[in-house]
Amino acid sequence: MDPMTQSAQISSSQGFADGQNSAAKESKLSVKDLIHWRDPKKSGLVFGLSMLLLLSLAAFSVISVASYLLLALLCVTITFRIYKSVVQAVQKSNEGHPFKTLIDKDVSIPPETFRKHVDASLTYINRALKQMSRLFLVEDLVDSLKLAVVMWLLTYVGAVFNGITILILADILLFAVPPIYEKNKTQIDQYIDLARTQVNTTIAKLQEKLPGAVKRSKTE
């Protein structure tokens, strides 16, 4: 093979690999960029659509919201198809189906991708099951008591808010807290360190006083 041709192929392969790496990096950073409002237009659009969806779920059932969304999408596609057919008939053109490229596009999920996500999900599920078993079978008395306190507090939260309201608040906090934290990172970190130190001190004292408490070793 010609050395110049070989070097050109290597350069194109490296450029393609670099493009894939940069695209992967951008996709990984996209969620972080959205919640930090790097691009206010995109962040505002995502925040507005998510709030609209959650507010719709708060006012209507899931079936109604899904049906209205699919009906709106279907109305758009049918209207566009009829419009393009009329334009083609008037202009006597033969452009074909307006969604031809999308119809021919392969939307199936590759088996390797499916197995990869299943394996990753199985890892998290097994980890969660092991953690639940450890907590509910009281391997560590302090951890089980902390879970009991959290569940007790959640009963009061559930009495005041329903699930959709909590999701709406979480969506607002998701888009509001990161930029606030980014602007006041030093002060917030100081308060967090103080609160963490106080909590750890209180838990350590409580663990020493509890009879039969399983004390953690330094290696844990």
Side-chain angles (χ1 to χ4, degrees), residues 29-46:
L29 294 177
S30 60
V31 176
K32 183 178 179 181
D33 292 340
L34 284 174
I35 62 176
H36 283 84
W37 295 81
R38 305 292 188 223
D39 189 339
K41 292 183 179 179
K42 293 182 179 179
S43 298
L45 178 62
V46 173

Side-chain angles (χ1 to χ4, degrees), residues 19-216:
Q20 283 186 326
N21 293 332
S22 61
K25 187 175 180 181
E26 288 179 359
S27 62
K28 290 181 180 179
L29 294 177
S30 60
V31 176
K32 183 178 179 181
D33 292 340
L34 284 174
I35 62 176
H36 283 84
W37 295 81
R38 305 292 188 223
D39 189 339
K41 292 183 179 179
K42 293 182 179 179
S43 298
L45 178 62
V46 173
F47 177 65
L49 291 177
S50 61
M51 283 297 298
L52 179 61
L53 178 61
L54 291 174
L55 291 174
S56 300
L57 291 174
F60 306 99
S61 65
V62 176
I63 297 176
S64 297
V65 174
S67 300
Y68 279 123
L69 288 176
L70 294 177
L71 181 61
L73 177 62
L74 193 57
C75 289
V76 171
T77 54
I78 291 175
T79 303
F80 185 74
R81 171 69 193 280
I82 295 174
Y83 168 75
K84 293 296 291 186
S85 299
V86 172
V87 170
Q88 291 177 19
V90 172
Q91 296 179 352
K92 296 181 179 180
S93 61
N94 191 19
E95 297 179 2
H97 200 288
F99 300 117
K100 179 67 175 176
T101 56
L102 296 177
I103 293 175
D104 294 338
K105 188 176 181 181
D106 186 15
V107 295
S108 60
I109 301 176
E112 296 79 8
T113 303
F114 180 78
R115 284 194 292 267
K116 178 182 177 181
H117 289 291
V118 169
D119 292 339
S121 302
L122 189 61
T123 302
Y124 289 111
I125 291 173
N126 290 332
R127 189 180 303 170
L129 290 175
K130 185 176 180 179
Q131 187 71 6
M132 290 175 61
S133 175
R134 189 181 74 84
L135 291 172
F136 283 97
L137 297 180
V138 198
E139 179 181 340
D140 190 305
L141 182 57
V142 175
D143 287 343
S144 298
L145 287 175
K146 287 192 289 186
L147 177 63
V149 171
V150 171
M151 294 297 103
W152 177 68
L153 293 175
L154 286 178
T155 59
Y156 287 94
V157 174
V160 178
F161 305 104
N162 57 26
I164 294 297
T165 305
I166 294 175
L167 289 177
I168 292 173
L169 293 175
D171 190 42
I172 294 173
L173 292 176
L174 181 65
F175 282 88
V177 171
I180 294 175
Y181 174 75
E182 195 172 38
K183 294 179 180 178
N184 305 278
K185 186 176 184 301
T186 305
Q187 296 87 341
I188 295 176
D189 285 342
Q190 291 178 354
Y191 289 115
I192 291 176
D193 291 337
L194 290 174
R196 185 185 294 115
T197 302
Q198 186 65 31
V199 170
N200 291 335
T201 304
T202 304
I203 291 176
K205 291 180 180 179
L206 179 63
Q207 190 173 6
E208 291 176 358
K209 294 180 180 179
L210 283 173
V214 180
K215 298 182 179 180
R216 295 175 181 172

